[in-house]
Amino acid sequence: MSYAIVHYPNINTEDINQIRKKYDPQVYLIKPHITLVFPIIESINENNFIVHIDNILSKWKRFPICLKGLQKSWDEYLFLMVEEGKVDMIKLHNQLYTGILAKYCRNNLPFIPHLTLGRFTKNIAQFLQVLEEAQKLDLNYCCFVDKVHLINIADEQRSIIWSKEFVLRN
């Protein structure tokens, strides 16, 4: 079992899912999302985790983001980038990785706020094909980060066991 914290953008995801169904192996595990805390596989006290999230989010108001632009990651993923709101997303990510989560922070990798469209393990032709598909769709969305979800994922990462919603202040 593992935990992660994600934001589900309140946008029309039809075009995003059109791409994800072809190229994202997690399309049926989780709907389009932006990960704020990556899966933590170790045992962590759930109640302490929830209190930590509540403490961090109590200081946050909802904020706008825009998803636009495509980027290939170092590990062969295609990202739909968070353009507007990127600084706030990074700040929220960094604050969540304090206290009981500090030891799980990956300081060797910069946090890049994004929504994953697909994975292309060393298949350049497939990557170029989906890049062209995504560019034609002109993916461009704006919404608010007004909620985040703590999700509990089964060990084999094939299903989400439960999810708890946290609402940011208006």
Side-chain angles (χ1 to χ4, degrees), residues 36 60 63-66 71 81-93 111-114:
L36 289 161
W60 278 84
F63 58 93
I65 61 170
C66 287
Q71 180 177 315
M81 302 303 294
V82 173
E83 192 174 84
E84 180 186 330
K86 177 180 174 178
V87 171
D88 285 328
M89 292 294 281
I90 292 170
K91 191 183 294 184
L92 180 55
H93 163 85
F111 175 63
I112 300 170
H114 68 276

Short mmCIF file of all heavy atoms in Angstrom, two decimals, residues 36 60 63-66 71 81-93 111-114:
data_model
loop_
_atom_site.label_atom_id
_atom_site.label_comp_id
_atom_site.label_asym_id
_atom_site.label_seq_id
_atom_site.Cartn_x
_atom_site.Cartn_y
_atom_site.Cartn_z
N LEU A 36 1.30 16.02 -6.36
CA LEU A 36 1.99 16.94 -5.45
C LEU A 36 2.94 16.21 -4.51
O LEU A 36 3.98 16.72 -4.15
CB LEU A 36 0.98 17.76 -4.66
CG LEU A 36 0.22 18.79 -5.48
CD1 LEU A 36 -1.05 19.23 -4.78
CD2 LEU A 36 1.12 19.98 -5.77
N TRP A 60 -3.44 27.81 3.01
CA TRP A 60 -3.53 28.00 1.56
C TRP A 60 -4.92 28.43 1.11
O TRP A 60 -5.91 27.87 1.57
CB TRP A 60 -3.15 26.71 0.83
CG TRP A 60 -1.68 26.53 0.71
CD1 TRP A 60 -0.84 26.00 1.64
CD2 TRP A 60 -0.87 26.91 -0.39
NE1 TRP A 60 0.44 26.02 1.18
CE2 TRP A 60 0.45 26.58 -0.07
CE3 TRP A 60 -1.13 27.50 -1.63
CZ2 TRP A 60 1.51 26.82 -0.94
CZ3 TRP A 60 -0.09 27.73 -2.49
CH2 TRP A 60 1.22 27.39 -2.14
N PHE A 63 -5.90 28.74 -5.85
CA PHE A 63 -5.14 29.57 -6.78
C PHE A 63 -5.32 29.05 -8.20
O PHE A 63 -5.58 27.86 -8.42
CB PHE A 63 -3.65 29.64 -6.38
CG PHE A 63 -2.96 28.31 -6.30
CD1 PHE A 63 -2.28 27.79 -7.40
CD2 PHE A 63 -2.95 27.58 -5.12
CE1 PHE A 63 -1.62 26.56 -7.33
CE2 PHE A 63 -2.29 26.35 -5.04
CZ PHE A 63 -1.62 25.85 -6.14
N PRO A 64 -5.18 29.96 -9.18
CA PRO A 64 -5.40 29.55 -10.58
C PRO A 64 -4.17 28.85 -11.16
O PRO A 64 -3.03 29.15 -10.78
CB PRO A 64 -5.65 30.88 -11.29
CG PRO A 64 -4.91 31.88 -10.48
CD PRO A 64 -4.96 31.40 -9.06
N ILE A 65 -4.45 27.93 -12.07
CA ILE A 65 -3.38 27.31 -12.86
C ILE A 65 -3.86 27.23 -14.31
O ILE A 65 -5.05 27.21 -14.58
CB ILE A 65 -2.98 25.89 -12.38
CG1 ILE A 65 -4.17 24.91 -12.45
CG2 ILE A 65 -2.35 25.94 -11.01
CD1 ILE A 65 -3.79 23.46 -12.23
N CYS A 66 -2.90 27.20 -15.22
CA CYS A 66 -3.18 26.93 -16.63
C CYS A 66 -2.24 25.83 -17.09
O CYS A 66 -1.04 25.87 -16.82
CB CYS A 66 -2.98 28.18 -17.50
SG CYS A 66 -4.28 29.39 -17.26
N GLN A 71 6.14 18.82 -22.82
CA GLN A 71 7.57 18.62 -22.53
C GLN A 71 7.82 17.14 -22.31
O GLN A 71 7.02 16.45 -21.69
CB GLN A 71 7.96 19.40 -21.27
CG GLN A 71 9.42 19.26 -20.90
CD GLN A 71 9.75 20.12 -19.68
OE1 GLN A 71 9.35 21.27 -19.60
NE2 GLN A 71 10.49 19.55 -18.75
N MET A 81 2.25 20.70 -19.38
CA MET A 81 2.89 21.51 -18.35
C MET A 81 1.92 22.46 -17.64
O MET A 81 0.98 22.95 -18.25
CB MET A 81 4.02 22.33 -18.97
CG MET A 81 5.08 21.49 -19.67
SD MET A 81 5.84 20.27 -18.58
CE MET A 81 6.68 21.35 -17.43
N VAL A 82 2.19 22.68 -16.35
CA VAL A 82 1.51 23.74 -15.63
C VAL A 82 2.29 25.01 -15.95
O VAL A 82 3.47 25.12 -15.63
CB VAL A 82 1.50 23.49 -14.10
CG1 VAL A 82 0.94 24.71 -13.37
CG2 VAL A 82 0.70 22.24 -13.77
N GLU A 83 1.64 25.94 -16.64
CA GLU A 83 2.30 27.18 -17.04
C GLU A 83 2.00 28.26 -15.99
O GLU A 83 2.87 28.60 -15.21
CB GLU A 83 1.78 27.58 -18.43
CG GLU A 83 2.55 28.68 -19.09
CD GLU A 83 2.05 28.90 -20.50
OE1 GLU A 83 1.05 29.63 -20.67
OE2 GLU A 83 2.66 28.34 -21.43
N GLU A 84 0.79 28.74 -15.97
CA GLU A 84 0.41 29.70 -14.92
C GLU A 84 0.16 28.91 -13.63
O GLU A 84 -0.41 27.83 -13.67
CB GLU A 84 -0.87 30.44 -15.31
CG GLU A 84 -1.33 31.44 -14.27
CD GLU A 84 -2.68 32.07 -14.60
OE1 GLU A 84 -3.01 32.18 -15.79
OE2 GLU A 84 -3.39 32.42 -13.65
N GLY A 85 0.61 29.43 -12.51
CA GLY A 85 0.43 28.75 -11.23
C GLY A 85 1.56 27.82 -10.87
O GLY A 85 1.54 27.17 -9.82
N LYS A 86 2.56 27.73 -11.73
CA LYS A 86 3.69 26.82 -11.52
C LYS A 86 4.41 27.13 -10.19
O LYS A 86 4.72 26.22 -9.42
CB LYS A 86 4.66 26.96 -12.69
CG LYS A 86 5.90 26.14 -12.59
CD LYS A 86 6.77 26.38 -13.82
CE LYS A 86 8.10 25.70 -13.70
NZ LYS A 86 8.91 25.90 -14.91
N VAL A 87 4.63 28.41 -9.91
CA VAL A 87 5.35 28.79 -8.69
C VAL A 87 4.57 28.36 -7.46
O VAL A 87 5.14 27.82 -6.51
CB VAL A 87 5.64 30.31 -8.69
CG1 VAL A 87 6.17 30.77 -7.34
CG2 VAL A 87 6.62 30.67 -9.80
N ASP A 88 3.25 28.57 -7.48
CA ASP A 88 2.42 28.15 -6.34
C ASP A 88 2.41 26.63 -6.19
O ASP A 88 2.44 26.12 -5.06
CB ASP A 88 0.99 28.67 -6.49
CG ASP A 88 0.87 30.15 -6.21
OD1 ASP A 88 1.64 30.67 -5.38
OD2 ASP A 88 0.01 30.80 -6.83
N MET A 89 2.35 25.91 -7.30
CA MET A 89 2.37 24.43 -7.23
C MET A 89 3.68 23.94 -6.61
O MET A 89 3.68 23.03 -5.78
CB MET A 89 2.20 23.82 -8.62
CG MET A 89 0.85 24.02 -9.25
SD MET A 89 -0.49 23.17 -8.41
CE MET A 89 -0.30 21.52 -9.00
N ILE A 90 4.78 24.55 -7.00
CA ILE A 90 6.09 24.16 -6.45
C ILE A 90 6.14 24.49 -4.96
O ILE A 90 6.60 23.68 -4.14
CB ILE A 90 7.24 24.85 -7.22
CG1 ILE A 90 7.32 24.28 -8.64
CG2 ILE A 90 8.57 24.68 -6.49
CD1 ILE A 90 8.25 25.04 -9.58
N LYS A 91 5.63 25.65 -4.59
CA LYS A 91 5.62 26.06 -3.18
C LYS A 91 4.78 25.09 -2.34
O LYS A 91 5.19 24.67 -1.26
CB LYS A 91 5.08 27.48 -3.06
CG LYS A 91 5.27 28.10 -1.69
CD LYS A 91 4.66 29.50 -1.59
CE LYS A 91 5.38 30.48 -2.49
NZ LYS A 91 4.86 31.86 -2.33
N LEU A 92 3.60 24.71 -2.85
CA LEU A 92 2.74 23.76 -2.14
C LEU A 92 3.42 22.41 -2.03
O LEU A 92 3.44 21.79 -0.95
CB LEU A 92 1.39 23.64 -2.85
CG LEU A 92 0.38 22.67 -2.22
CD1 LEU A 92 0.13 22.98 -0.75
CD2 LEU A 92 -0.94 22.70 -3.01
N HIS A 93 4.00 21.94 -3.11
CA HIS A 93 4.75 20.67 -3.10
C HIS A 93 5.84 20.71 -2.02
O HIS A 93 5.95 19.78 -1.22
CB HIS A 93 5.37 20.46 -4.50
CG HIS A 93 6.47 19.46 -4.54
ND1 HIS A 93 6.24 18.10 -4.68
CD2 HIS A 93 7.82 19.60 -4.48
CE1 HIS A 93 7.40 17.47 -4.70
NE2 HIS A 93 8.37 18.35 -4.58
N PHE A 111 11.10 19.39 -8.87
CA PHE A 111 9.67 19.16 -9.06
C PHE A 111 9.19 19.98 -10.25
O PHE A 111 9.37 21.19 -10.29
CB PHE A 111 8.89 19.55 -7.80
CG PHE A 111 7.41 19.44 -7.95
CD1 PHE A 111 6.80 18.22 -8.21
CD2 PHE A 111 6.60 20.57 -7.85
CE1 PHE A 111 5.42 18.12 -8.36
CE2 PHE A 111 5.22 20.49 -8.00
CZ PHE A 111 4.64 19.26 -8.25
N ILE A 112 8.58 19.30 -11.22
CA ILE A 112 8.04 19.95 -12.41
C ILE A 112 6.54 19.70 -12.43
O ILE A 112 6.09 18.59 -12.72
CB ILE A 112 8.70 19.37 -13.69
CG1 ILE A 112 10.22 19.59 -13.64
CG2 ILE A 112 8.08 19.98 -14.93
CD1 ILE A 112 10.98 18.86 -14.72
N PRO A 113 5.74 20.72 -12.09
CA PRO A 113 4.28 20.53 -12.09
C PRO A 113 3.77 20.20 -13.49
O PRO A 113 4.04 20.93 -14.44
CB PRO A 113 3.75 21.88 -11.61
CG PRO A 113 4.90 22.56 -10.95
CD PRO A 113 6.12 22.05 -11.65
N HIS A 114 3.04 19.09 -13.59
CA HIS A 114 2.60 18.61 -14.90
C HIS A 114 1.45 17.63 -14.75
O HIS A 114 1.20 17.12 -13.66
CB HIS A 114 3.76 17.90 -15.61
CG HIS A 114 4.13 16.62 -14.92
ND1 HIS A 114 5.00 16.60 -13.84
CD2 HIS A 114 3.74 15.34 -15.13
CE1 HIS A 114 5.12 15.34 -13.42
NE2 HIS A 114 4.36 14.57 -14.18
#
